[in-house]
Amino acid sequence: MFTGLVQSLAEVAQLVAEPGGVRLVVREPQMAAATEIGASIANNGCCLTVVEVEGDSISFQAGEETLSRTNLGELKPGDRLNLETSLRMGDEIGGHLVTGHIDGLATVDERIDDAEWSTMWFRVPRRLTKQMASKGSVAVDGVSLTLVDVEDERFSVALIPHTLSVTTLGLRNVGDTVNIETDVLAKYVERQLEGSGTPTSG
C-alpha cells in the first residue's frame, strides 16, 4: 500500500527491452541507497518490484500488460516519474490509501494556470467517474489529490505550487496521458450497491 505522497521526481536512465516487456532503470541516489531488491515502489502510481540496485540507479521489470495499461509504456530516457516507497507498519498516512494498481488512463483535457497555482481537468472513461465524488480522493500519476468537480467523463483538481514543483503534474500539458487510481473505498461502495441491486447514478 501507498499514501500518494510522492517522495521523488526521478529520472528515467534507461529502458532495456526484455522478453515479455522492458527493464526500467531509474536514477534516484537517495532512494537507491535505502532500497533492497524485492522492495515495492510506485512508479507514477504503478506498483513495481525492485529487481536490481546499482550505484544511484534502481531497476524494475514491467510486462506488456503493465506497459499497455499505464503511461509507463510511453516513457523514454530523460523523462521524469513519481516514486513512492510502500508503507510500513506504523507509518503515517498523510494522503489516502493507494494500492498501486492502476484503474485506467486519463488525458489532460484542460490546464488553467493562475500565478503559481493550476487547475487541471482530466478526461476519463465514465466507469471511473462513477467511483468519484467532489471532495473525495483520487491518485493521478500516483499523487494523492482531492477532487474538485466531477462530470460524466472528466474531473478537476486544484494543484498547489509545491505539488506542481515536486511531481510530474507540473510538467503535464493538454493531451498528456496520466495514470488514474480511484479511491479503494469508492470501489467497495460501488460493488456493494451493485450487489444490493441499488442502481448507481449515471
Side-chain angles (χ1 to χ4, degrees):
M1 297 293 288
F2 305 89
T3 68
L5 299 182
V6 171
Q7 295 165 316
S8 174
L9 183 58
E11 179 184 358
V12 177
Q14 275 185 294
L15 289 163
V16 182
E18 294 183 337
V22 301
R23 178 174 290 239
L24 170 62
V25 184
V26 177
R27 186 175 294 112
E28 215 309 313
Q30 288 187 325
M31 196 172 287
T35 296
E36 298 181 353
I37 293 173
S40 295
I41 296 179
N43 290 247
N44 279 358
C46 178
C47 180
L48 297 178
T49 300
V50 175
V51 297
E52 184 179 17
V53 180
E54 184 175 357
D56 63 357
S57 297
I58 306 170
S59 296
F60 308 88
Q61 289 175 312
E64 293 178 357
E65 178 79 1
T66 298
L67 296 173
S68 67
R69 292 182 177 273
T70 72
N71 63 9
L72 300 185
E74 301 177 2
L75 291 175
K76 57 186 182 300
D79 283 350
R80 309 303 290 270
L81 77 168
N82 301 321
L83 296 186
E84 181 194 351
T85 57
S86 59
L87 276 170
R88 297 177 180 177
M89 291 296 292
D91 284 351
E92 181 179 349
I93 300 175
H96 72 282
L97 287 176
V98 178
T99 65
H101 301 152
I102 304 304
D103 293 306
L105 293 170
T107 56
V108 180
D109 197 45
E110 188 177 359
R111 175 171 176 163
I112 304 166
D113 294 320
D114 182 9
E116 296 181 339
W117 297 63
S118 290
T119 296
M120 282 193 187
W121 283 88
F122 299 94
R123 187 159 294 278
V124 292
R126 188 183 179 95
R127 64 179 176 82
L128 295 185
T129 58
K130 291 173 67 176
Q131 298 172 353
M132 299 179 187
S134 179
K135 310 308 178 188
S137 298
V138 67
V140 179
D141 269 356
V143 183
S144 175
L145 299 169
T146 299
L147 292 153
V148 178
D149 292 307
V150 179
E151 299 178 353
D152 284 347
E153 294 184 343
R154 67 176 200 156
F155 67 89
S156 68
V157 296
L159 302 172
I160 64 174
H162 177 74
T163 301
L164 292 168
S165 67
V166 301
T167 74
T168 58
L169 299 182
L171 306 172
R172 297 303 186 199
N173 294 301
V174 173
D176 288 350
T177 304
V178 295
N179 295 327
I180 300 295
E181 182 185 331
T182 57
D183 188 356
V184 64
L185 296 178
K187 294 185 181 74
Y188 283 121
V189 170
E190 184 183 36
R191 186 65 179 269
Q192 289 295 317
L193 289 173
E194 290 175 347
S196 67
T198 303
T200 56
S201 60

